[in-house]
Amino acid sequence: MVLFCTRLLFNPPALLQADDNDAQAPVIRGIIIDRGQIYPEHEAESTRLFRVLNAIHWMSREQTIRQELLFKEGDGLDVELIAETERNLRALSVLSVADVLVEPIQPGWVDVRIRTRDAFTRRFEASTSFVGGQAHGRLNVGERNLFGTGVSLSYVQTRWTNKEVNRIQFFEPRVFGSRKSFFARYAGGRVQSAGRDFNTVFYQFALARPFYRLDTRHSYGISYVFDDGIDTFYNGNIDKTTEVERKKVSTALIFANRWGTRFSKQTLTTSLAYHDTRYGERFGTETRDIAVPEDTVFWSLIENLTHKKTAYFLEQDQLDALEGVEDIEVGWSAGLSAGAGYRKKKNGHDRSPFFNGINADALLLPSTHSLLALHAASFGRIDSGRYLAWETEAFIHYYYQGFREQTLVASIAFDAVYEGEDLERELILDEASGLRGYRAKAFSGNKRLRLNVEDRIFTPFEFYRVVFGFALFADSGYVWKRGENPKLADLRSSIGFGLRIGSLPLIKNNVIRIDFAFPLNKDDAAGFSISVSGGQLIQLLKNAEENEEF
């Protein structure tokens, strides 16, 4: 298991504190909500496109914004709640700008003014993207702010060479005005493989009450998933596959309790899960020796205890977004997991495994112009003194902003998986997951190393409120199969440059990424590649992952 320890190496700035004596704190007399359309009136008057986008957009209702406030009229002024409310509003997908201002009225009384500007939330997109030699088309029709209520409803159709998926998704962030959220997704698809057609079905329902403020004490959720599909294993090419039919039903209950202060707290999370997995036949264009497990019913009960220490919050820019405020929580957390389960197989061979795990995260400021994000986690399933399955991941992300209008990003990430009882798991490395310039599903195995360096260059170029940036990058990495020892000589590498496109009113803090990559190992790739995708490949608090949708 991974043991990961960090030490804070910074001197936090003075925090803005509310008066400890509530009787002396100013009282909030009134709350004013100033809502703004996507584009300000003066910009819309001079640009027809802006007028059209404003006209077809459902503007956020005042109640949609007011229900996110962590204070009310008559409360004593708490500057921490003012700042937290501002961060919560900025995190909403329906708003591009949110400011919470305190306006003194007279001694002992203040007004709080909320100024917001909507983001464009309607989606009608027909596009074709090309990543790692794999082209796919996409149709996206939806609305993330239905009738101005914050409710999201969308339909997405995605097509690859041998696969089509149709997805309907619904999200209600405030069920009947409460703090509970509801999520539902249905996906139906068709897959062609080895001359055969297969229909896939997936649906998911989740009801949750999250931690909605720093001092919320309780959180809980329940989810149900039905997944009738195919697990695909690759052999160096997207066309060389071994596939296994699989039907899985999962239900999970999660309860979490916190205690401590707003900036130093402990969280105990209890997870109770049920999985019923049934497997079909193995087929595909390759005949890899992948063992098809027996049908299994599995119950598990896992406890996780985490301690989290927040030093302070920062408002940064030009990290992963081209424009807009990015809220950063500086501090660290560490946790331990333990649990037990019961597995019943079709042949009647039962097991009662145990679980253990460890996780640690930190976001530090080593210097005035730099940020350092650290993450490590490991989790395993044990029976009779040996590990039946385990997974480990770790990354270090370093951001340096000491040069004008540039952000230098360096990342090293490692992850590994092992499954000795159920269907084996596979890690992929290709253009979409951290190694630009190489074909889709180029490398697969169970141990993956990625190294990425990127110079993000921000420019003053703007066209119709769309901004542009550039990037220079170098990627390196590899995936080793089970039984292979990692060797640096195996690493594949690439260099390249890219165009970055952003628009705070249209796609908020997201980025459209166009990369031109040149692989340095010609035996494994063509001489040149172009990829178009959404989201930065490396993000401050995330590992490199598949393309984002927005």
Side-chain angles (χ1 to χ4, degrees), residues 109-270:
W109 294 89
V110 298
D111 282 347
V112 177
R113 185 176 299 273
I114 316 295
R115 291 179 178 171
T116 65
R117 186 161 303 285
D118 274 17
F120 185 65
T121 53
R122 190 155 300 175
R123 288 290 176 264
F124 184 83
E125 169 199 349
S127 63
T128 299
S129 63
F130 192 77
V131 179
Q134 180 189 16
H136 73 272
R138 187 166 179 263
L139 174 66
N140 182 358
V141 180
E143 171 61 57
R144 292 205 309 267
N145 196 15
L146 202 62
F147 304 113
T149 62
V151 174
S152 174
L153 179 64
S154 64
Y155 166 79
V156 179
Q157 181 187 82
T158 308
R159 291 188 176 186
W160 292 266
T161 304
N162 66 331
K163 181 168 65 173
E164 175 183 315
V165 177
N166 296 279
R167 186 182 72 204
I168 300 173
Q169 186 168 296
F170 173 83
F171 177 63
E172 164 60 275
R174 291 301 204 81
V175 177
F176 302 122
S178 70
R179 288 288 180 178
K180 302 178 183 67
S181 64
F182 176 74
F183 175 82
R185 174 187 291 175
Y186 166 82
R190 178 178 54 85
V191 178
Q192 293 179 331
S193 179
R196 304 165 62 183
D197 288 346
F198 296 88
N199 294 321
T200 62
V201 177
F202 175 94
Y203 50 85
Q204 175 185 7
F205 304 98
L207 180 68
R209 181 188 182 274
F211 290 120
Y212 58 89
R213 53 188 279 178
L214 291 176
D215 54 2
T216 301
R217 296 302 180 188
H218 308 289
S219 175
Y220 54 83
I222 181 172
S223 66
Y224 173 84
V225 175
F226 175 85
D227 186 3
D228 185 0
I230 295 172
D231 285 333
T232 302
F233 301 86
Y234 298 92
N235 191 23
N237 193 301
I238 194 169
D239 298 321
K240 297 179 180 180
T241 63
T242 301
E243 290 162 299
V244 178
E245 293 180 282
R246 178 256 311 128
K247 182 182 293 185
K248 186 173 184 178
V249 176
S250 301
T251 302
L253 290 169
I254 298 177
F255 302 90
N257 294 279
R258 288 199 305 206
W259 62 95
T261 67
R262 294 168 57 83
F263 293 93
S264 179
K265 49 184 167 288
Q266 296 76 41
T267 303
L268 179 64
T269 303
T270 302

Side-chain angles (χ1 to χ4, degrees), residues 463-487:
F463 180 74
Y464 281 83
R465 292 295 306 276
V466 176
V467 297
F468 300 89
F470 299 96
L472 303 173
F473 61 83
D475 300 333
S476 188
Y478 195 66
V479 182
W480 291 270
K481 298 185 183 300
R482 185 184 299 182
E484 295 180 345
N485 294 320
K487 299 177 182 179

Side-chain angles (χ1 to χ4, degrees), residues 436-438 472-476 493-497 516-520 528-529:
R436 286 165 283 199
Y438 292 80
L472 303 173
F473 61 83
D475 300 333
S476 188
S493 303
S494 65
I495 57 174
F497 61 93
F516 304 82
F518 302 85
L520 301 181
F528 175 68
S529 77

Side-chain angles (χ1 to χ4, degrees), residues 17-35:
Q17 299 288 346
D19 197 319
D20 291 335
N21 187 347
D22 290 339
Q24 297 180 6
V27 177
I28 298 174
R29 186 191 70 172
I31 299 174
I32 304 102
I33 309 292
D34 289 339
R35 297 171 297 145

Side-chain angles (χ1 to χ4, degrees), residues 287-301:
T287 56
R288 284 178 55 185
D289 185 21
I290 294 177
V292 178
E294 296 182 61
D295 299 345
T296 304
V297 173
F298 187 24
W299 290 88
S300 65
L301 177 64

